[in-house]
Amino acid sequence: MLLDEISELPLTLQAKLLRVLQEKEVERLGSHQTIALDVRIIAASNKDLRTLAVAGQFREDLFYRLDVLPMNWPALRERPRRHIAAGGIFH
C-alpha cells in the first residue's frame, strides 16, 4: 500500500495507523469484528520525517516503524544532467 505525503496525516490518524501496523488487523466502521491484514507499506513524503518527529509534528514511534528501509532520491532539480539527458530520448 502506498501512503503518499504521510507527513500530512494528522496525529490522531497516525496513532490509528500505528495500531494497524502493530496489530496487523483493522476493524470496519460500525463493527466490532477484526479483519487480519498482511500488507506492505511504502510511505512517501517530501518532508524530512525525522525532523518532524523530533519537533513533535509526526509520531516518533510511527516514524521508527516506517523507517525500516529508507530510500532517499534527490529531486529532479538537484540532478538536471540526468533529467536533460533522459528528455532527449523521448522527443
Side-chain angles (χ1 to χ4, degrees):
M1 176 184 303
L2 173 64
L3 301 175
D4 194 18
E5 294 302 334
I6 188 118
S7 59
E8 302 302 321
L9 195 64
L11 288 171
T12 53
L13 291 179
Q14 289 178 28
K16 291 180 181 186
L17 176 60
L18 179 63
R19 183 188 166 279
V20 168
L21 294 176
Q22 290 174 336
E23 304 297 325
K24 298 183 180 177
E25 61 185 21
V26 293
E27 203 173 278
R28 286 188 186 190
L29 194 61
S31 174
H32 296 290
Q33 196 171 26
T34 59
I35 301 168
L37 293 178
D38 182 21
V39 297
R40 304 300 181 265
I41 303 293
I42 297 174
S45 178
N46 65 351
K47 297 178 182 174
D48 183 6
L49 293 180
R50 184 180 310 272
T51 303
L52 293 176
V54 169
Q57 297 172 340
F58 193 83
R59 288 185 63 106
E60 197 167 345
D61 48 1
L62 178 58
F63 169 74
Y64 286 111
R65 178 66 70 162
L66 294 172
D67 193 41
V68 175
L69 181 63
M71 293 184 244
N72 298 306
W73 288 289
L76 287 177
R77 68 182 168 274
E78 295 172 9
R79 49 186 173 147
R81 289 186 182 159
R82 289 184 189 172
H83 185 254
I84 292 169
I89 297 171
F90 300 108
H91 47 198

